[in-house]
């Protein structure tokens, strides 16, 4: 069934982070001014949080970073051949960087990191309370990605050219919007598929300009209900209806007229909304089976991309997304069993 997947057919670029996850209490969240369910970038006041979280009793380390998670899941769903997924991002020349390299290799992802020694490898503290998780990303090295020194280099750019499907989380807009635009324009000019994720409310709020610069090249936009609502508010849509927001996003200006934009908004346990606007029910799960919702969104995208790269219809892409998310929320971190059971 995987005859359509060839090596480097799926390209992802983003912030490679080492996730440090631990169960914390409300006092911990309050101490650092965190909401129970949020994604933010670390500020000066969060520096001590990283020292404190590693001392928690049950701390776990997992390779993370939103885009990297998604391409890993896509590769896991596809299984064979290896290295269907390519990943670019920046790490430090340190122990955490070595872990990320090792984990990417174990996942059979063709990772080509830009390595520099000014900044240490980025980390993301996942502060878990019950069903909620508050993510605090200390980008560090991830923020040092350099277009001229990595993306533009012939041997790297040739891997971009090999791909048919591209996916970048909105988080990377804070790092290298010029790299995103170069990849997005390449996809558009060659009638390939470029996917982008809204990623977090702060992207739509504070990185509006780079987000809207890339939007005309976006063939598939992903997001959850909160991100969709924030985007709508920032764009002055004056509606909170998710299906209506999806329609409006679909109609935003688009360069490549050969592909109609697809909008996919997940809503946790509620139906996923996708244009041409349809509702797709998610798989039922007993609340007691939910171990960790961190990574569910990344997993949904990974499952989706695994079918998309094999040129499957939208319904199949969404079904695979729901399957992958359903597997991941039963486990700690964005981790998965040896083989998928998706038919």
């Amino acid at each position: 069934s995987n005859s359509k997947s060839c090596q480097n057919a799926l390209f992802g670029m983003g912030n490679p982070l080492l996730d440090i996850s631990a169960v914390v209490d409300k006092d911990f969240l309050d101490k650092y001014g965190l909401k129970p369910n949020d994604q933010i970038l670390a500020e000066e006041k969060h520096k001590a949080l990283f020292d404190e979280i590693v001392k928690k009793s049950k701390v776990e380390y997992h390779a993370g970073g939103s885009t990297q998670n998604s391409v890993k899941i896509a590769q896991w769903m596809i299984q064979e051949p290896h290295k269907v997924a390519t990943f670019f991002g920046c790490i430090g020349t340190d122990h955490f960087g070595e872990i990320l390299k090792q984990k990417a290799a174990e996942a059979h992802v063709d990772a080509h990191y830009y390595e520099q020694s000014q900044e240490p490898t980025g980390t993301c503290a996942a502060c878990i309370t019950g069903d909620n998780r508050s993510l605090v990303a200390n980008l560090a090295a991830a923020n040092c990605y350099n277009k001229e020194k990595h993306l533009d280099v012939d041997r790297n750019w040739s891997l971009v050219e090999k791909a048919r499907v591209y996916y970048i989380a909105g988080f990377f807009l804070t790092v290298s919007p010029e790299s995103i635009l170069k990849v997005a324009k390449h996809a558009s000019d060659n009638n390939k598929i470029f996917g982008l994720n809204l990623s977090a409310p702060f992207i739509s709020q504070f990185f509006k300009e780079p987000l809207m610069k890339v939007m005309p090249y976006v063939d598939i936009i992903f997001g959850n209900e909160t991100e969709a609502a924030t985007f709508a508010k920032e764009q002055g849509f004056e509606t909170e209806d998710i299906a209506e927001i999806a329609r409006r996003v679909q109609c935003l200006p688009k360069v490549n007229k050969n592909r109609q934009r697809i909008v996919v908004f997940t809503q946790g346990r509620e139906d996923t909304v996708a244009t041409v606007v349809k509702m797709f029910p998610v798989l039922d799960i007993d609340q007691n089976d939910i171990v960790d919702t961190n990574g569910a969104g990344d997993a949904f995208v990974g499952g989706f991309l695994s079918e998309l790269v094999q040129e499957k219809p939208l319904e199949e892409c969404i079904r695979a997304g729901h399957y992958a998310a359903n597997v991941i929320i039963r486990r700690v971190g964005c981790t998965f069993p040896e083989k998928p059971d998706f038919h």
Side-chain angles (χ1 to χ4, degrees):
S1 70
N2 295 337
S3 56
K4 287 197 171 162
S5 309
C6 45
Q7 286 195 326
N8 307 110
L10 173 63
F11 175 85
M13 179 167 60
N15 300 330
L17 306 174
L18 190 74
D19 286 348
I20 306 170
S21 58
V23 173
V24 301
D25 54 20
K26 191 180 178 306
D27 290 344
F28 184 90
L29 296 182
D30 293 343
K31 178 176 176 182
Y32 294 106
L34 304 177
K35 295 176 191 161
N37 226 343
D38 204 9
Q39 300 110 315
I40 62 165
L41 293 176
E43 295 167 43
E44 201 54 47
K45 65 179 181 187
H46 299 116
K47 289 283 182 266
L49 179 156
F50 288 85
D51 300 327
E52 191 177 338
I53 200 166
V54 298
K55 298 188 177 78
K56 294 280 173 198
S57 58
K58 281 188 178 168
V59 63
E60 296 201 14
Y61 294 86
H62 296 283
S66 184
T67 307
Q68 185 167 243
N69 283 342
S70 292
V71 300
K72 257 182 206 171
I73 298 275
Q75 180 64 55
W76 170 70
M77 291 282 289
I78 291 164
Q79 292 282 308
E80 301 280 336
H82 292 166
K83 297 189 174 180
V84 169
T86 313
F87 180 76
F88 286 6
C90 182
I91 59 174
T93 50
D94 51 24
H95 177 57
F96 282 177
E98 289 305 312
I99 294 174
L100 288 185
K101 282 199 236 179
Q102 180 198 333
K103 292 294 180 190
E106 284 171 10
H108 307 301
V109 167
D110 195 13
H112 293 257
Y113 297 113
Y114 172 56
E115 296 179 48
Q116 51 72 60
S117 50
Q118 295 335 103
E119 288 280 343
T121 296
T123 49
C124 179
C127 311
I128 299 163
T129 52
D131 271 356
N132 295 319
R133 50 103 182 96
S134 198
L135 304 180
V136 184
N138 181 26
L139 297 185
N143 204 28
C144 301
Y145 188 79
N146 186 308
K147 177 175 170 288
E148 288 74 26
K149 290 184 180 169
H150 195 264
L151 186 69
D152 294 345
V153 176
D154 287 347
R155 67 173 182 278
N156 294 329
W157 185 251
S158 68
L159 288 167
V160 176
E161 292 179 324
K162 270 182 86 172
R164 283 200 310 268
V165 174
Y166 301 84
Y167 173 69
I168 300 176
F171 289 125
F172 201 57
L173 286 162
T174 76
V175 173
S176 186
E178 62 283 1
S179 295
I180 301 178
L181 268 175
K182 184 176 182 182
V183 171
K185 284 178 176 169
H186 168 80
S188 185
D189 292 345
N190 294 279
N191 196 30
K192 295 173 176 182
I193 301 173
F194 181 82
L196 185 79
N197 205 312
L198 293 175
S199 290
F202 81 84
I203 299 293
S204 292
Q205 291 167 313
F206 308 116
F207 294 87
K208 205 183 297 193
E209 195 187 348
L211 174 61
M212 296 319 284
K213 257 196 186 139
V214 77
M215 194 61 80
Y217 303 99
V218 177
D219 298 298
I220 307 182
I221 187 99
F222 296 96
N224 65 24
E225 72 277 40
T226 318
E227 293 149 11
T230 305
F231 179 82
K233 189 167 167 244
E234 291 295 325
Q235 295 298 318
F237 284 2
E238 292 181 0
T239 176
E240 287 172 20
D241 180 84
I242 296 291
E244 180 55 29
I245 295 170
R247 282 188 201 95
R248 299 281 292 270
V249 173
Q250 188 177 27
C251 296
L252 290 169
K254 194 164 185 305
V255 174
N256 178 9
K257 304 284 195 276
N258 295 322
R259 293 183 185 279
Q260 193 183 21
R261 182 179 292 119
I262 295 170
V263 182
V264 185
F265 290 147
T266 56
Q267 309 186 79
R269 70 186 84 166
E270 301 301 319
D271 293 358
T272 295
V273 180
T275 55
V276 184
V277 182
K278 282 187 188 162
M279 308 294 260
F280 295 89
V282 299
L283 296 164
D284 275 334
I285 185 165
D286 185 332
Q287 286 306 104
N288 300 326
D289 290 339
I290 297 179
V291 175
D292 179 8
T293 55
N294 185 19
D298 296 339
F300 172 83
V301 174
F304 188 103
L305 294 171
S306 71
E307 294 294 293
L308 183 68
V309 84
Q310 297 174 66
E311 296 171 18
K312 299 283 175 63
L314 180 63
E315 283 79 0
E316 281 304 291
C317 295
I318 289 173
R319 198 168 69 84
H322 288 160
Y323 168 79
N326 194 272
V327 170
I328 266 63
I329 55 181
R330 299 167 192 270
R331 307 166 68 89
V332 172
C334 199
T335 60
F336 36 84
E338 191 188 346
K339 285 202 162 58
D341 180 25
F342 177 75
H343 308 292

